[in-house]
Amino acid sequence: MIEKKECFRARGNIIAFQALNDDKVIYALQHKTIKSFSTLTCKALSNISVEYLSSQTTAIDFHKSLELVAIANGKTIYIIHTKTKAVLQTIISYTGDIEILHFVQNSPYLITGTKNGRVVQYRYDGKTSLSRLCSFPFNNPIGKKVIDKNYVGAIESNDTYVACSGYGGAITIIKLHSLTHKQTIQSARVRVNTLKFINNELLISATIDSNIYFHNLTQYRHTKTITSPVGIVSTIIPIPNTNYAMVSGESNKIALLDLNAQKVVSNELIKFNLNVKSFTLVEEDTIVAVLEDNSVEKTSFSRLEEFEDLIKRNLLERAYLLVEKNPLLLSTPAYQELEDIYNRLYNQALDALINSNKQEAMILLSQFSTIKSKKDDINLVLNSFEQYKKFHTLVLAKKHHLAYSISENYPTLKRTYPYKKLEDEFKKTFDFAQKQIKIGRMDIADEILSVYKSVQSKKLLVKLLIHNNKDFLLFLSAIKTKNYQNIASLIKKNSVFAQLPQYQDLLDKLQNKLLEIRNNIYQTDIPIAIEKIKQVQYIPQIREQLQELFELANNTKTLLSYYEKNDFFNCYLTLDKSKSLEPLKLSKMLESHWLKRIDKCENLALKGDLKGIKEVLGELIVLKSRSAKVGDLIRLCFQTKIKQLLSKRAYTKAESIIYSYIDIFGLDTEIKTLMRTYEKLSQKKLAITTNQELFKDRDAWLESASIVREYKN
């Protein structure tokens, strides 16, 4: 059951809307107001006036777990406490007008997207940017003219990665705390305006031409594209503990996606009278949506307890009807229980029909006759058993070709005893033919198998046995004994063997073997994993997966070896070379240790304490794979020191550090801004030489003796 309720209609334009980590939803009106309300009662909880909210506001975002809102008016960001309306921080952007703000949950970070295509990371407890995460267009050569109408389309994050889209439909993904594993993919060529991480391996994007892309982040490519059922997508929300996500866009509907199958499973999970501006999920069973007239509606789905109760009371039709109204129940254990009950009743109906008791079968199936997902199933069984007597007669008469033909047209017959008898007869005949071939009686084998030559599902097997008998028998034996080397050799000799159902069954089982090997690696049972890889290395269809697993095993072995020697420098180098190492417990522990160091270093950089950063990082300061993050920290440290000296009017010392900065890092946007400030305050022109104006690579600071002298061999 779905229950709808209009909570209220806002007296103004809602420009931001966010569920918090309880039953509360917070929202902002364009003109100086932030409010919250309870989703249980729809009653107002708080109402504050914020002078920075106006028609000049260019971006806004709420923090989900902290009482914070970030508001951008052009280049200025205000971090405001939503209870006290105190301005906790004011941040000035030097990289352009801000059009997107994004709080990273479980961290002190705020990420901005600017009008000129820059994605910049800040701490919301500091005034200065930490890093420029990416710039669009991502492949713009240095010195090329700035593109008109550049942009950042969307920003999304999880606990590990940040994804941002920009000019030309490009999406850049980067590991937030180390700035490693940076990759850019460009599945679309138009603006990507919505991004959503499902996990570290799957990202969904949506474009302004109403397409939805599923991106595999282990290979950095898109695996599937589907047409949006809601027009241009504006909101994607995964449903916790399920394989589903909800989407809304330029329509009056919220649709449902199956994340495993990567398809739309419901074009109209919920329908409203007006178009949806935005929606949010509260817990797992309540959706709160803002409609185009700024009214707020609450929709509650049937709870799992109600569904379980219907199954317990054997009200199966009502339970299935509940699933049709709420597809989210498909992912629950209770639904699997319902399906098990249905299958038992279905098999009982089959037995009844076999025994010519159609009335009993109809009684068993009638309770499912109104269920859309079962109609075809039920019609198939009824139609099949109109053919049952004829089928049974053909089996008894050993008219195999006709019997198999009917069973292909009416698949339910394959679940009957006569079909089992038909298959047993074929197996006996096939085994007997093999024995005849082994003793040289080819004519007898050919004769007894002739009846199966026109049976679609059997003719390939028969053909192979008759015309490639020696190799075929060897192949069947290799399949039975799992002699993978012989299997591969025989397929190479005769590619038709790869089409056999026995081989396809083997490949299906090998997928489980691959999962088993991966688990062995993640449990650091490396010798066992490598031995299993060697066993199946000959099968060409899984060679690429085996190569990836072999590399993972070797990289894991290398990582463990470095860790046992307390060689953390090479531990991180190994981690940064292989993204697939991330699920390892050791990898997570090392990244947690790195995060603690970086948090300390960011605070030290905001104080201008380079010595402290060196002490915290030690030899990791020259870690090449993470030089982007460390370099940004050292730049920030220099910039902070210059600002401190300028505030104290210590212009001579400030000038000296400015020159040192340019020698180490070259000229960049941040130092140019500080140079202008210096010249304005000191009334003195800086003397920049031609050499100092040259562009320097972002990693050039690694060659600076003043920074890394003690860490060089």
Side-chain angles (χ1 to χ4, degrees):
M1 179 180 293
I2 294 178
E3 296 180 359
K4 282 187 178 181
K5 177 182 179 181
E6 182 174 314
C7 285
F8 57 86
R9 184 172 299 178
R11 295 179 180 177
N13 183 31
I14 296 177
I15 60 173
F17 194 76
Q18 173 70 60
L20 304 181
N21 287 343
D22 45 31
D23 72 328
K24 186 164 69 173
V25 170
I26 193 164
Y27 65 97
L29 299 175
Q30 193 165 31
H31 295 291
K32 303 185 184 301
T33 306
I34 291 176
K35 296 185 176 186
S36 66
F37 66 95
S38 166
T39 57
L40 297 176
T41 64
C42 287
K43 291 183 178 179
L45 296 174
S46 66
N47 183 344
I48 65 169
S49 176
V50 179
E51 62 178 302
Y52 304 105
L53 271 173
S54 69
S55 59
Q56 305 303 311
T57 296
T58 54
I60 182 171
D61 192 36
F62 290 106
H63 197 289
K64 192 171 182 179
S65 56
L66 302 176
E67 294 171 326
L68 297 177
V69 61
I71 298 169
N73 293 335
K75 293 182 175 64
T76 307
I77 307 168
Y78 303 97
I79 308 297
I80 299 169
H81 193 272
T82 55
K83 252 192 176 178
T84 64
K85 71 179 184 181
V87 179
L88 303 180
Q89 194 63 267
T90 302
I91 304 169
I92 305 298
S93 164
Y94 296 104
T95 53
D97 287 349
I98 294 164
E99 295 185 319
I100 297 177
L101 288 169
H102 174 81
F103 277 113
V104 179
Q105 302 303 314
N106 307 315
S107 81
Y109 301 128
L110 176 71
I111 300 176
T112 67
T114 66
K115 192 174 181 179
N116 57 358
R118 306 290 183 263
V119 179
V120 181
Q121 177 190 13
Y122 296 85
R123 286 181 70 109
Y124 50 74
D125 55 359
K127 288 181 174 290
T128 307
S129 64
L130 296 176
S131 298
R132 184 184 295 181
L133 300 179
C134 58
S135 298
F136 296 99
F138 80 98
N139 58 354
N140 197 32
I142 296 164
K144 186 176 179 180
K145 184 179 177 182
V146 175
I147 290 173
D148 292 336
K149 297 183 180 178
N150 200 358
Y151 61 84
V152 176
I155 300 172
E156 170 64 1
S157 66
N158 59 17
D159 288 340
T160 309
Y161 286 90
V162 169
C164 42
S165 65
Y167 188 91
I171 301 170
T172 294
I173 302 104
I174 189 168
K175 209 165 184 178
L176 180 61
H177 305 298
S178 60
L179 303 190
T180 56
H181 299 305
K182 187 174 184 177
Q183 295 285 340
T184 297
I185 51 182
Q186 197 163 17
S187 301
R189 295 289 170 176
V190 297
R191 183 179 180 120
V192 174
N193 63 315
T194 310
L195 294 167
K196 181 59 67 174
F197 278 109
I198 303 305
N199 48 48
N200 283 347
E201 296 178 356
L202 180 62
L203 175 75
I204 300 178
S205 68
T207 59
I208 58 169
D209 59 357
S210 299
N211 281 328
I212 298 172
Y213 293 82
F214 294 83
H215 305 277
N216 180 331
L217 297 182
T218 59
Q219 299 173 335
Y220 292 101
R221 62 179 181 85
H222 88 272
T223 55
K224 195 166 184 181
T225 307
I226 60 175
T227 301
S228 162
V230 293
I232 299 175
V233 174
S234 57
T235 308
I236 303 173
I237 298 182
I239 303 169
N241 306 315
T242 75
N243 298 317
Y244 298 98
M246 296 179 290
V247 296
S248 70
E250 291 184 329
S251 76
N252 62 340
K253 301 179 295 185
I254 292 176
L256 188 69
L257 305 180
D258 184 324
L259 301 174
N260 281 349
Q262 299 185 359
K263 67 178 184 179
V264 178
V265 290
S266 175
N267 287 326
E268 195 178 289
L269 180 65
I270 309 171
K271 186 176 181 179
F272 301 92
N273 292 328
L274 297 170
N275 282 358
V276 180
K277 283 177 66 174
S278 180
F279 78 96
T280 191
L281 180 65
V282 182
E283 296 181 341
E284 294 179 14
D285 56 13
T286 302
I287 291 168
V288 185
V290 182
L291 306 185
E292 62 184 354
D293 66 346
N294 291 297
S295 61
V296 176
E297 287 193 14
K298 179 176 78 168
T299 303
S300 298
F301 289 99
S302 49
R303 289 184 173 270
L304 180 59
E305 292 83 357
E306 179 187 353
F307 181 53
E308 291 173 332
D309 183 60
L310 289 173
I311 297 171
K312 188 177 180 180
R313 290 158 57 198
N314 209 35
L315 299 173
L316 306 182
E317 181 182 24
R318 286 176 59 184
Y320 273 114
L321 288 171
L322 207 59
V323 173
E324 287 183 359
K325 293 178 180 178
N326 180 9
L328 307 183
L329 295 169
L330 287 167
S331 63
T332 63
Y335 178 74
Q336 187 55 54
E337 182 184 347
L338 178 61
E339 284 286 271
D340 290 342
I341 295 170
Y342 168 76
N343 286 326
R344 285 200 299 271
L345 293 173
Y346 188 86
N347 287 329
Q348 289 176 28
L350 286 179
D351 291 338
L353 285 167
I354 290 168
N355 295 316
S356 300
N357 194 342
K358 188 173 181 179
Q359 186 177 1
E360 182 185 345
M362 293 300 293
I363 291 171
L364 287 165
L365 296 174
S366 62
Q367 59 183 314
F368 306 109
S369 61
T370 60
I371 308 304
K372 291 179 184 177
S373 62
K374 303 303 178 188
K375 275 187 177 180
D376 290 343
D377 212 9
I378 292 168
N379 288 336
L380 184 62
V381 69
L382 295 176
N383 292 334
S384 295
F385 278 89
E386 288 178 5
Q387 304 292 324
Y388 177 72
K389 285 185 179 179
K390 182 180 178 181
F391 174 68
H392 194 189
T393 301
L394 290 169
V395 172
L396 292 173
K398 296 187 181 295
K399 294 183 178 179
H400 301 97
H401 171 65
L402 294 174
Y404 273 114
S405 179
I406 289 178
S407 68
E408 290 299 323
N409 292 327
Y410 300 94
T412 308
L413 294 173
K414 293 181 180 180
R415 301 172 68 162
T416 65
Y417 173 76
Y419 185 81
K420 183 178 181 298
K421 187 177 179 181
L422 192 66
E423 286 286 86
D424 287 343
E425 182 69 22
F426 170 74
K427 188 176 183 303
K428 288 177 184 176
T429 303
F430 195 79
D431 289 344
F432 182 71
Q434 290 182 53
K435 291 175 182 177
Q436 296 306 304
I437 289 171
K438 286 179 180 178
I439 60 175
R441 295 178 177 176
M442 183 67 70
D443 54 338
I444 295 176
D446 192 20
E447 182 183 349
I448 63 174
L449 288 173
S450 62
V451 68
Y452 296 104
K453 287 181 179 179
S454 58
V455 176
Q456 185 64 35
S457 60
K458 310 300 181 188
K459 62 183 181 181
L460 178 60
L461 287 171
V462 172
K463 182 180 177 181
L464 287 171
L465 185 61
I466 297 300
H467 298 290
N468 303 83
N469 54 79
K470 185 178 179 181
D471 285 346
F472 183 55
L473 293 175
L474 287 172
F475 184 76
L476 292 178
S477 175
I479 288 278
K480 189 174 181 179
T481 59
K482 295 182 180 178
N483 188 327
Y484 299 109
Q485 188 171 5
N486 283 354
I487 291 170
S489 176
L490 289 163
I491 287 178
K492 188 175 182 180
K493 187 176 179 181
N494 191 336
S495 60
V496 179
F497 290 162
Q499 300 173 27
L500 291 171
Q502 292 93 329
Y503 185 65
Q504 295 304 315
D505 289 343
L506 178 71
L507 290 180
D508 289 341
K509 290 174 182 175
L510 284 177
Q511 291 305 312
N512 292 329
K513 187 82 169 179
L514 295 176
L515 287 174
E516 186 183 299
I517 293 169
R518 190 175 294 275
N519 287 332
N520 288 142
I521 296 171
Y522 288 153
Q523 292 166 11
T524 65
D525 296 328
I526 308 303
I528 294 173
I530 290 177
E531 182 58 36
K532 288 179 180 177
I533 289 170
K534 288 178 179 178
Q535 290 171 7
V536 296
Q537 65 181 310
Y538 307 100
I539 305 300
Q541 284 83 352
I542 61 170
R543 194 161 290 154
E544 188 176 328
Q545 293 164 283
L546 287 174
Q547 181 61 36
E548 186 261 323
L549 287 172
F550 186 70
E551 289 176 6
L552 175 61
N554 281 329
N555 287 334
T556 302
K557 185 178 179 181
T558 300
L559 180 65
L560 289 168
S561 173
Y562 284 133
Y563 182 71
E564 288 168 2
K565 298 173 186 175
N566 290 323
D567 185 351
F568 293 106
F569 187 93
N570 279 305
C571 277
Y572 287 111
L573 275 180
T574 306
L575 272 181
D576 296 339
K577 287 177 184 176
S578 176
K579 186 176 184 291
S580 59
L581 289 171
E582 285 180 355
L584 285 170
K585 286 183 180 179
L586 176 57
S587 301
K588 292 175 181 178
M589 187 195 74
L590 287 166
E591 291 293 7
S592 177
H593 186 60
W594 171 265
L595 177 57
K596 289 176 183 176
R597 292 193 187 203
I598 288 302
D599 186 65
K600 288 180 182 177
C601 288
E602 286 173 352
N603 284 298
L604 290 167
L606 290 168
K607 296 175 183 176
D609 187 353
L610 179 58
K611 182 181 178 183
I613 291 173
K614 288 183 175 183
E615 289 174 355
V616 170
L617 289 178
E619 66 173 350
L620 298 181
I621 201 169
V622 292
L623 186 62
K624 178 72 174 176
S625 59
R626 304 199 173 196
S627 61
K629 180 62 182 176
V630 177
D632 284 347
L633 287 172
I634 297 172
R635 283 183 188 83
L636 176 58
C637 190
F638 271 78
Q639 294 160 14
T640 304
K641 195 67 179 176
I642 293 167
K643 290 175 184 177
Q644 290 172 348
L645 293 170
L646 290 176
S647 68
K648 296 176 182 177
R649 298 184 181 181
Y651 300 127
T652 302
K653 289 183 179 179
E655 180 182 11
S656 175
I657 295 179
I658 288 172
Y659 288 137
S660 295
Y661 184 102
I662 296 170
D663 286 338
I664 296 168
F665 302 109
L667 282 169
D668 54 32
T669 303
E670 291 79 7
I671 197 63
K672 286 177 182 178
T673 302
L674 289 171
M675 288 164 61
R676 287 193 293 270
T677 303
Y678 166 85
E679 290 177 345
K680 182 178 179 181
L681 293 174
S682 68
Q683 298 294 304
K684 182 180 177 182
K685 188 75 175 173
L686 288 163
I688 305 299
T689 67
T690 303
N691 288 337
Q692 288 172 317
E693 288 180 349
L694 291 175
F695 169 82
K696 283 185 180 267
D697 186 82
R698 294 291 286 181
D699 290 343
W701 64 271
L702 285 168
E703 303 303 319
S704 171
S706 62
I707 295 176
V708 300
R709 177 189 303 114
E710 59 267 48
Y711 306 106
K712 290 288 185 180
N713 292 330

